[in-house]
C-alpha cells in the first residue's frame, strides 16, 4: 500500500533555472559558465556548493543569502517556476485519497514561498523548519513522524540519489527517482538508481497510476 506521497522541492517540484541564474549574476559570472561548472561539479561527485568556491573561494552560502536579502535580491520562486506536472499530479493524488506532503532541504523563506503557492498538499516542511538536513536519517525520521501512515506506506519522490533516494530507502520508505534537473540527468545511470529506486519516472503525472496499481485500485 501507498498511503502518502512526499515530494522533494528543487528539481522535483521547482525548476531552479531562475534561482541558479540569479546566483551567477550575483557572482558576476556568465550564466552559461556557472551552469557548466555546476554540472561538472555534480558529475565529479562533489557537493554542488563547491561550484561557488570555484568563482569565489571562501564563499559561504548562508551569509550570501543574507547579503542578497539585504540588497533586495532574496531567493525567490513562484508559480512560473513550478514544473508543468506539479499541480495536476498532486491534485490527482489527493482526489484519490492519498496524503500529499512536501519536505526538502530548503530555507524558512522557501517554505513560506511554497505555502504561498497554495499547492494541493496536506503538509509542507523544510530542513530549516526542522533543524536537520538530508541526507541525515533524522530528516526522514521526522518526516515519518509527521506522516499519518507507517514508513513502508510512504513514497518519497526526489531527483537525487544521495540526498533523496538512498536515505529515504534506509529509513524504510518507498522511493521514486525522477529523471530531471542536473542531478536527475547527470547521475541517471549510476547503479544506485536502479538498486534503490522502487520506481523511475520522467513525469510526476506517472505517480497516480503507480499508486493506484500498488493499492489495487483503478487509476
Amino acid at each position: 500500500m501507498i498511503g502518502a506521497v512526499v515530494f522533494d522541492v528543487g528539481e522535483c517540484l521547482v525548476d531552479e533555472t531562475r534561482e541558479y541564474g540569479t546566483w551567477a549574476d550575483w557572482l558576476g559570472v556568465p550564466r552559461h559558465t556557472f551552469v557548466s561548472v555546476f554540472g561538472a561539479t555534480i558529475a565529479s561527485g562533489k557537493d554542488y556548493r563547491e561550484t561557488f568556491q570555484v568563482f569565489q573561494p571562501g564563499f559561504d552560502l548562508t551569509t550570501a543569502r543574507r547579503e542578497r536579502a539585504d540588497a533586495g535580491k532574496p531567493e525567490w520562486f513562484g508559480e512560473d517556476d513550478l514544473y508543468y506536472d506539479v499541480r495536476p499530479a498532486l491534485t490527482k493524488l489527493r482526489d484519490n485519497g492519498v496524503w500529499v506532503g512536501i519536505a526538502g532541504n530548503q530555507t524558512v523563506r522557501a517554505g513560506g514561498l511554497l505555502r504561498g503557492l497554495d499547492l494541493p498538499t496536506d503538509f509542507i516542511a523544510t530542513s530549516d523548519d526542522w533543524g536537520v538536513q538530508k541526507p541525515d536519517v533524522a530528516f526522514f525520521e521526522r518526516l515519518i513522524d509527521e506522516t499519518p501512515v507507517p514508513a513502508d506506506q510512504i513514497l518519497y519522490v526526489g531527483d537525487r540519489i544521495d540526498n533523496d533516494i538512498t536515505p529515504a530507502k534506509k529509513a524504510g520508505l518507498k522511493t521514486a527517482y525522477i529523471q530531471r534537473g542536473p542531478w536527475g540527468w547527470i547521475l541517471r545511470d549510476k547503479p544506485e538508481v536502479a538498486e534503490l529506486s522502487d520506481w523511475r519516472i520522467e513525469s510526476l503525472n506517472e505517480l497516480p497510476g503507480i499508486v493506484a496499481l500498488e493499492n489495487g485500485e483503478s487509476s
Side-chain angles (χ1 to χ4, degrees), residues 140-162:
F140 290 92
E141 290 172 345
R142 179 64 185 270
L143 186 158
I144 293 167
D145 288 342
E146 298 286 353
T147 307
V149 299
D152 62 0
Q153 293 184 24
I154 302 171
L155 173 60
Y156 192 77
V157 186
D159 64 303
R160 292 181 59 171
I161 193 68
D162 57 346

Side-chain angles (χ1 to χ4, degrees), residues 45-107:
K46 297 177 181 178
D47 189 305
Y48 80 96
R49 288 168 290 195
E50 291 295 316
T51 304
F52 297 93
Q53 301 296 329
V54 172
F55 302 110
Q56 189 178 110
F59 180 90
D60 181 80
L61 186 56
T62 300
T63 299
R65 280 176 172 152
R66 184 169 58 250
E67 291 172 348
R68 280 186 55 173
D70 291 344
K73 299 179 179 180
E75 63 176 328
W76 186 86
F77 56 82
E79 184 71 28
D80 290 346
D81 298 297
L82 294 176
Y83 277 104
Y84 72 96
D85 51 4
V86 172
R87 287 193 182 277
L90 272 59
T91 298
K92 181 68 171 177
L93 287 167
R94 290 193 84 200
D95 287 347
N96 290 346
V98 177
W99 190 91
V100 175
I102 297 174
N105 277 357
Q106 300 290 329
T107 63

Side-chain angles (χ1 to χ4, degrees), residues 5 21 28 31 37 39 71 77 81 104 118 121-122 124 133 139 169 171 209 216:
V5 180
R31 292 189 172 194
V37 174
F77 56 82
D81 298 297
D118 194 27
T121 62
D122 297 287
I124 296 175
Q133 292 192 345
F139 178 96
K169 179 60 67 174

